[in-house]
């Protein structure tokens, strides 16, 4: 099997995909921007060949790279990055070279929030009503129908980038000026008191869920960015049955195969959920590592097994919580890395400086810490986020 990994070097924790694919007997071919010497021995030894391009955004240049690898190694069986930024490039390449997996037309339902909403309804999963906004007339009409506050997001896009909370007429006026009708937006009512959570997992070549998980954020991402708040999220030991039911319906309706998925929900105060977004890839950052720590598995190896026609192997170790938590350089905390290790010992599974691309959103210093109970989760979050008390100046 010939497998082309797009951007095998970044993010660094995804290099394990190349390593485990090679271990499963796959010929792993890389296409990326970094010089070969920068890859390091671990990744170099996992790749049969690496083709460096000047710019992965230049699809013609990347197509020439794939064509060269096709000519040298024969038909390509898979092209994948597992990275949101390159999903469209992956699909375009698959279409060009007739490779298994999602093609460009398949991505419409996972790139446009308005299309996602249609499929959530088809899956009989609760949603809040939304409106497509192309003009200022659409904007004011939608706000009159939905009322304030609303969340305004680009219809095509992911994450909290270019997202606004509109709570007042002044917010609407400012948004209108910054937006300038430059792109299509999607408006939906702001969910008061909702807890942001997920239903995540992996489907096999038949579309069956072989791994599932869920995590909960301490604060919604929009508030996190705007307020530069302390960040934590928790991989759950067990998935709430209602969330699991909704998540499975959505996965079946979207019909993806041999892929990771990451579905965002708000949990309401009444215990129900509303679906927000379907992401046709892994959750970002170090989340896959947290899954591994929480469930004592290796999803990199499991993915390689599925791709090569093997089975997903369940762990026989009891699940744990895993807390992903950060500290920001801008704040003075009561406990540093040494104190965190002293307090939690070998439950600290991982600590790492965050890449600049994630630091503004999530923080600068990342820790992954296992816990057995909700009480231990609360203890970890309080300990890591406890700040030094400011001494008032005497006048």
């Amino acid at each position: 099997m010939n497998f082309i990994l797009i951007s095998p070097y970044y993010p660094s924790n995804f290099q394990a995909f190349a390593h485990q694919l090679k271990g499963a007997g796959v010929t792993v071919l890389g296409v990326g921007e970094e010089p070969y010497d920068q890859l390091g021995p671990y990744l170099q030894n996992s790749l049969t060949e690496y083709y460096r391009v000047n710019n992965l955004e230049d699809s013609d240049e990347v197509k020439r790279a794939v064509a060269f690898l096709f000519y040298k190694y024969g038909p390509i069986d898979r092209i994948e990055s597992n990275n949101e930024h390159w999903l469209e490039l992956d699909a375009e390449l698959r279409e060009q070279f007739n490779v298994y997996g999602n093609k460009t037309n398949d991505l419409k339902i996972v790139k446009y929030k308005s299309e996602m909403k249609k499929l959530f309804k088809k899956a009989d999963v609760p949603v809040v009503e939304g409106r497509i906004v192309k003009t200022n007339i659409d904007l004011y009409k939608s706000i009159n129908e939905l009322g304030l506050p609303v969340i305004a997001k680009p219809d095509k896009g992911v994450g909290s980038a270019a997202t606004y909370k509109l709570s007042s007429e002044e917010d609407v006026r400012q948004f209108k000026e910054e937006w300038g009708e430059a792109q299509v937006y999607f408006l939906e009512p702001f969910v008061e008191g909702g807890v942001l959570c997920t239903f995540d997992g992996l489907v096999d070549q038949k579309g069956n869920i072989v791994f599932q998980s869920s995590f909960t954020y301490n604060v919604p991402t929009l508030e996190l960015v705007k307020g530069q708040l302390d960040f934590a999220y928790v991989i759950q030991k067990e998935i709430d049955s209602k969330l699991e039911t909704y998540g499975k319906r959505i996965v079946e309706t979207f019909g993806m195969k041999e892929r990771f998925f990451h579905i965002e929900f708000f949990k309401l105060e009444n215990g129900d959920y509303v679906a927000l977004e379907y992401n046709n890839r892994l959750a970002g950052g170090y989340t896959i590592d947290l899954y591994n720590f929480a469930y004592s598995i290796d999803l990199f190896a499991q993915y390689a097994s599925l791709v090569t026609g093997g089975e997903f192997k369940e762990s026989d170790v009891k699940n744990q919580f895993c807390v992903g938590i950060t500290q920001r350089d801008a704040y003075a905390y009561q406990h540093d890395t040494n104190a965190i290790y002293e307090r939690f010992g070998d439950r600290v599974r991982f600590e790492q400086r965050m890449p600049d691309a994630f630091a503004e959103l999530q923080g600068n210093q990342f820790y992954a810490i296992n816990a057995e109970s909700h009480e231990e989760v609360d203890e970890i979050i309080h300990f890591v986020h406890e700040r030094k008390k400011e001494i008032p100046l005497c006048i």
Side-chain angles (χ1 to χ4, degrees):
M1 171 180 276
N2 294 324
F3 193 120
I4 291 181
L5 277 175
I6 302 297
S7 186
Y9 177 80
Y10 182 86
S12 59
N13 59 323
F14 280 20
Q15 293 178 23
F17 279 118
H19 178 75
Q20 294 294 356
L21 284 165
K22 180 185 178 181
V26 175
T27 298
V28 187
L29 310 167
V31 177
E33 297 177 358
E34 294 79 14
Y36 182 75
D37 290 344
Q38 185 179 332
L39 303 185
Y42 177 75
L43 184 55
Q44 288 172 348
N45 293 334
S46 302
L47 298 174
T48 299
E49 183 155 345
Y50 178 71
Y51 192 112
R52 181 179 181 270
V53 296
N54 292 315
N55 184 4
L56 281 173
E57 303 284 357
D58 184 342
S59 62
D60 289 336
E61 185 183 15
V62 177
K63 286 175 183 177
R64 289 193 293 271
V66 174
F68 170 81
L69 296 170
F70 188 108
Y71 173 78
K72 185 171 181 179
Y73 293 95
I76 305 302
D77 299 286
R78 299 290 189 276
I79 298 175
E80 184 59 73
S81 66
N82 282 308
N83 190 315
E84 181 71 47
H85 188 76
W86 304 119
L87 288 186
E88 290 177 285
L89 175 62
D90 296 343
E92 186 179 347
L93 294 170
R94 294 188 198 106
E95 194 162 332
Q96 178 84 19
F97 294 94
N98 193 29
V99 174
Y100 173 91
N102 290 336
K103 311 299 192 296
T104 300
N105 286 340
D106 299 322
L107 295 188
K108 182 180 179 182
I109 59 175
V110 295
K111 296 298 290 186
Y112 292 90
K113 296 176 179 64
S114 53
E115 295 298 324
M116 294 178 195
K117 187 85 67 174
K118 294 176 185 176
L119 289 185
F120 291 154
K121 291 180 177 179
K122 183 178 179 181
D124 195 24
V125 173
V127 295
V128 292
E129 290 300 321
R131 299 286 187 276
I132 293 177
V133 172
K134 299 180 180 179
T135 67
N136 289 331
I137 294 174
D138 294 337
L139 173 65
Y140 285 106
K141 180 181 178 182
S142 297
I143 289 174
N144 285 335
E145 292 174 351
L146 299 174
L148 293 176
V150 297
I151 296 294
K153 311 174 185 177
D155 190 32
K156 180 184 179 183
V158 296
S160 57
T163 296
Y164 299 79
K165 180 182 178 183
L166 310 181
S167 301
S168 65
E169 292 183 6
E170 175 59 25
D171 291 340
V172 176
R173 184 195 64 77
Q174 184 175 348
F175 167 72
K176 184 181 74 170
E177 291 181 0
E178 295 182 13
W179 168 44
E181 301 182 352
Q183 60 180 315
V184 178
Y185 258 73
F186 192 74
L187 265 62
E188 55 189 13
F190 176 73
V191 179
E192 296 284 355
V195 176
L196 187 59
C197 61
T198 73
F199 180 74
D200 299 349
L202 174 65
V203 292
D204 64 14
Q205 295 176 353
K206 296 181 180 179
N208 300 313
I209 297 175
V210 293
F211 168 77
Q212 60 186 34
S213 178
S214 174
F215 64 83
T216 302
Y217 291 92
N218 64 328
V219 290
T221 51
L222 181 59
E223 296 177 25
L224 186 70
V225 176
K226 301 297 184 186
Q228 290 292 283
L229 304 176
D230 284 325
F231 170 72
Y233 66 113
V234 183
I235 309 296
Q236 300 296 307
K237 289 172 68 172
E238 306 293 340
I239 304 174
D240 180 80
S241 59
K242 181 173 287 188
L243 176 63
E244 181 179 3
T245 297
Y246 289 158
K248 286 182 173 180
R249 287 182 195 166
I250 290 172
V251 170
E252 182 178 1
T253 302
F254 275 73
M256 298 299 175
K257 298 178 181 179
E258 197 185 278
R259 295 204 63 79
F260 289 96
F261 60 86
H262 167 57
I263 310 172
E264 295 182 349
F265 292 83
F266 266 134
K267 184 175 184 179
L268 306 179
E269 293 177 344
N270 64 6
D272 205 356
Y273 296 84
V274 292
L276 300 176
E277 290 188 21
Y278 181 103
N279 296 279
N280 203 33
R281 43 81 183 173
L282 277 163
Y286 298 115
T287 305
I288 186 171
D289 304 284
L290 269 66
Y291 296 149
N292 289 339
F293 297 145
Y295 304 129
S296 300
I297 57 175
D298 185 338
L299 281 171
F300 301 106
Q302 300 281 20
Y303 175 79
S305 176
L306 287 186
V307 166
T308 54
E311 295 182 353
F312 189 95
K313 299 176 183 177
E314 299 282 351
S315 171
D316 56 4
V317 179
K318 184 180 177 182
N319 292 350
Q320 295 181 291
F321 294 101
C322 191
V323 182
I325 189 166
T326 63
Q327 293 178 334
R328 295 185 183 272
D329 290 348
Y331 306 134
Y333 294 93
Q334 190 70 38
H335 308 291
D336 61 10
T337 297
N338 289 336
I340 291 169
Y341 270 104
E342 184 176 342
R343 178 66 171 265
F344 300 110
D346 59 7
R347 286 193 285 161
V348 182
R349 303 298 305 276
F350 181 82
E351 63 94 6
Q352 186 77 28
R353 291 292 293 178
M354 290 289 284
D356 292 341
F358 302 120
E360 181 180 3
L361 171 62
Q362 296 184 354
N364 304 95
Q365 180 66 29
F366 182 90
Y367 303 91
I369 307 175
N370 279 134
E372 292 287 351
S373 65
H374 289 287
E375 291 75 20
E376 288 184 358
V377 167
D378 292 341
E379 177 192 6
I380 290 166
I381 294 174
H382 178 267
F383 188 85
V384 175
H385 283 166
E386 184 179 2
R387 297 186 191 174
K388 292 182 178 178
K389 295 180 181 179
E390 294 184 3
I391 301 176
L393 295 175
C394 297
I395 299 177

